[in-house]
Amino acid sequence: MTNRYDDAYRRSLEDPNGFWGEVAEDIHWYRKWDKVLDDSNPPFYRWFTGGEVNTCYNAVDRHVEAGRGDQPAFIYDSPVTNSVRTITYAQLQDQVARFAGVLSANGVGKGDRVIVYMPMVPEAAIAMLACARLGAVHSVVFGGFASNELAVRINDAKPKAIVSASCGIEGARVIPYKPLLDGAIDLADHKPDHCIILQRPQAEAPLIPGRDIDWAAAAAQAAPHDCVPVAATDPLYILYTSGTTGQPKGVVRDNGGHMVALKWTMSAVYDVQPGDAYWAASDVGWVVGHSYIVYAPLLHGCTSIFYEGKPVGTPDAGAFWRVISQHNVRVMFTAPTAFRAIKREDPHGEKLREYDLSNFKTLFLAGERTDPDTLAWAQEKLGVPVIDHWWQTETGWAIAANCMGLHEFPVKPGSPTKAAPGWNVQVLGEDHQPVKPGDIGAICCKLPLPPGSLPTLWQNDARYVSSYLEEFPGYYMTADAGYMDDDGYLYIMARTDDIINVAGHRLSTGGMEEVLAHHPDVAECAVIGVEDQLKGQLPFGFLVLNAGVDRPHDEIVAEVVKMVRDKIGAVAAFKQAVVVDRLPKTRSGKILRGTMQKIADNQDWKMPATIDDPVILEEITEALEGAGYGKSRH
Ligand code: COA
Ligand code: AMP
């Protein structure tokens, strides 16, 4: 017997033109497409070529015209400023149109890039939507990144303007953004013409005359700008994500396919209705924020909760329950690490009893694997389905999920359930052939990828091909390893590259190594991800010092910790490193990071046959145990 999921899955792969063509009817088109799937230039595939759309029109204006003007589009809930603000669709239309007017008056037009470096205030979404309105390409940079990371993105995206705020608020700390922004522009070779700064009362920033523009003053005088039709295949945004080096990858998202896929996921995956309150507790700087704080909920006519706070400490472990209850949230989406933080502070879920969660229907988790303990705790305490789903910045939406709007499958702990419609997921072995159910391999998706996934990397087709398509011809390599069971459930076990996942944030250990290597006393280094009860993983560094360096190791470690914080940002959470005499390597000189990580996590490990000198591992083991890892963990 088949169900709606089986039917949708089969049809999406057998007849992608028919399947996505029908789904696309849910979007407003200025001009319909010539082709649903354009496969004329493999391995590059495009969706809805010939079509013309505007993402902002579909996310905002369309709902006002259809009578949703008075419905809240965003509820900005900010425990860190002790405020709640509702923005209706009509108000959002006015504010976005005005801000598009500000951008346009300052020379931003179709195809121009705009960097958005903002804390979690709704103006971040207004800036994104204003870019979409003009056909400009936004690139949001997460606020936890430091100047250098911002500078790298400025050089790559070459923005005409940067939109930022005077400060962010992290719990009780006010973090001035303007010095980071000014520092980044100083470092960057490319200079934006203008910076538009939202002044927040917690810490106003001095503006540079001629370059900087005050958001409020400019918006008050601006002429509202209408939506500009763009090609469905034109870029909507670039979102940089960690690659294997310090040079991040500029994931591109188009307009047409992105809207089609995202709007459809709101009903098929999340099972929410227009008008429902939907909450993704993430940050607009991450893909989850792009897709599920801003675009998908608005495309679907939902009310999106815009939360500037943490799961704990703002003010306590009941914060999530308060928001769900106060704003009548139907479906919530966050990272497992947030639930681990709550569980740690309130293991018995006592705070839950203070709130009425009767309207709450489903919790979705992603960003990292949902460990069975966290799953069981959330299921028991909340009494609603808890759905792990798996995706990446590159894919824009879930590759695997329990598609609650199509068919609810039994949850198997540790699995994000099955491949979502559109995703032909295969687990491949070293011979590039599918492996048997239960066997671990490289998780790959057969091309073409569905609408909404990345068509390429920003101005770098060659890197797109070499990073994702080259190793398994005909497939997109997710760089996750895992297996599929006999029922088609996927299990995502580990990354096959040097990406680690810290509190649901994707970070490159290679990028951190590049920073450590710049320390004048460091001859060689390695960074691995070690298991952490709260954040899933934490970075851990090994330093080999130059001959003759006899300074205290603590001092050097403190210096490299500061360097990573200054260069990459606080979000890297790099706080631990040890000095060792040598690094374990293969005979061909490859550092054995995988083995070091297994030792740190106290997992079984085998002496690699190709190791150059096994004695070094004893020293590494000792150093890790001295730092509280390895055998001294359990
Ligand atoms: N601007 C400036 N600094 C930021 C920042 C921002 N937007 N976001 C995080 N930081 C800082 C934090 O303050 C922290 O600084 P510290 O080292 O001085 O304490 C550092 O970056 C590391 O942040 P994080 O790893 O997030 O740790 P945390 O202790 O602040 O919070 C959690 C831990 C689990 C509560 C938090 O990560 C969380 O809620 N995560 C789940 C939701 C989520 O963001 N998911 C992302 C993808 S879905
Ligand atoms: P990001 O691009 O930041 O969304 O990170 C994507 C990576 O996070 C994936 O490649 C996985 O390694 C990991 N990830 C995200 N969601 C899950 C999940 N549900 N289960 C296991 N790993 C996940």
Side-chain angles (χ1 to χ4, degrees), residues 290-513:
H290 281 64
S291 293
Y292 292 106
I293 296 175
V294 182
Y295 288 113
L298 295 190
L299 288 167
H300 202 49
C302 289
T303 296
S304 177
I305 311 299
F306 210 99
Y307 179 68
E308 188 182 29
K310 300 261 173 183
V312 294
T314 58
D316 56 35
F320 276 15
W321 324 138
R322 185 213 27 102
V323 173
I324 293 174
S325 148
Q326 189 169 335
H327 307 306
N328 234 5
V329 169
R330 283 295 273 168
V331 166
M332 178 187 190
F333 176 172
T334 192
T337 185
F339 267 71
R340 289 196 296 269
I342 297 170
K343 179 176 158 217
R344 193 165 75 166
E345 290 220 347
D346 182 18
H348 304 296
E350 273 154 20
K351 290 274 171 206
L352 260 165
R353 293 189 206 120
E354 296 170 23
Y355 301 97
D356 173 11
L357 265 57
S358 51
N359 195 46
F360 184 50
K361 202 174 67 159
T362 321
L363 170 68
F364 283 84
L365 297 173
E368 55 176 322
R369 176 171 174 267
T370 299
D371 54 287
D373 282 354
T374 304
L375 176 76
W377 188 84
Q379 283 171 327
E380 189 213 315
K381 298 292 177 246
L382 292 170
V384 298
V386 178
I387 307 299
D388 181 9
H389 60 329
W390 166 61
W391 50 299
Q392 309 179 309
T393 304
E394 289 84 346
T395 68
W397 58 282
I399 315 168
N402 204 340
C403 296
M404 298 297 277
L406 295 175
H407 182 79
E408 183 177 350
F409 285 98
V411 166
K412 294 194 193 184
S415 168
T417 318
K418 304 188 184 207
W423 295 99
N424 186 348
V425 179
Q426 307 278 336
V427 183
L428 303 182
E430 278 169 11
D431 58 357
H432 294 185
Q433 297 303 310
V435 298
K436 289 199 308 296
D439 284 359
I440 290 197
I443 309 185
C444 296
C445 305
K446 201 163 187 342
L447 297 175
L449 299 184
S453 50
L454 82 170
T456 189
L457 294 176
W458 178 247
Q459 296 194 327
N460 206 338
D461 285 350
R463 190 173 182 201
Y464 170 65
V465 171
S466 65
S467 303
Y468 303 109
L469 309 182
E470 222 160 61
E471 191 148 338
F472 295 92
Y475 291 86
Y476 163 82
M477 180 180 75
T478 65
D480 280 313
Y483 63 95
M484 200 182 274
D485 72 8
D486 288 321
D487 299 324
Y489 280 57
L490 275 163
Y491 291 78
I492 315 301
M493 307 306 288
R495 290 282 304 194
T496 56
D497 55 12
D498 66 358
I499 300 292
I500 57 169
N501 206 312
V502 180
H505 308 143
R506 171 168 160 178
L507 298 163
S508 159
T509 53
M512 294 185 212
E513 288 176 4

